[in-house]
Amino acid sequence: MKVSELAEKAGFVYGSGEEAPDREVEGCYIGDLLSLAMAKVDVDNAWITIQTNINVVAVASLKEAACVIVADGFHIDETVKAKAEAEEIIILESELSAYDIAKKLAEYGI
């Protein structure tokens, strides 16, 4: 499933990257510790986190994540948005918990 399809189907809001290349989501990683995310996020994963700092963009770019989904109603700021746009990183935002987001992804076969 493409990131745009996932966003529309799940009701996620774009924090950044609406114009970025629409990547295929091939899996999921859930975690907030950046060092673990650097070790565990696979190429084309959706990474679910509550982290909103600029280092999220660096990790997502390094690991070639399909997107980052920020859970629990957290939002990125303008600095993070600008960096994500420059790196073509899609960041989606949701009011749902990480658990509920993961359930949706599982329902969609991700």
Side-chain angles (χ1 to χ4, degrees):
M1 172 179 290
K2 297 275 190 188
V3 174
S4 61
E5 296 170 299
L6 173 62
E8 183 177 333
K9 198 169 189 177
F12 300 147
V13 176
Y14 280 87
S16 73
E18 200 163 0
E19 302 300 320
D22 198 8
R23 309 240 335 240
E24 194 75 29
V25 180
E26 297 292 337
C28 173
Y29 176 75
I30 305 167
D32 301 318
L33 193 57
L34 296 177
S35 59
L36 274 178
M38 281 186 6
K40 301 285 186 177
V41 173
D42 288 328
V43 172
D44 292 330
N45 272 181
W47 172 23
I48 304 169
T49 184
I50 60 166
Q51 293 290 339
T52 60
N53 66 60
I54 201 159
N55 294 325
V56 168
V57 177
V59 172
S61 179
L62 175 72
K63 299 303 291 189
E64 299 181 41
C67 66
V68 176
I69 305 171
V70 178
D72 286 325
F74 287 90
H75 303 282
I76 60 170
D77 65 26
E78 289 301 316
T79 302
V80 174
K81 178 178 181 168
K83 182 66 173 173
E85 297 284 353
E87 296 288 329
E88 295 187 320
I89 299 298
I90 300 170
I91 299 178
L92 304 173
E93 298 174 337
S94 176
E95 297 295 320
L96 297 174
S97 70
Y99 174 75
D100 287 330
I101 293 168
K103 287 190 332 186
K104 283 191 175 289
L105 271 59
E107 287 173 21
Y108 305 152
I110 297 172

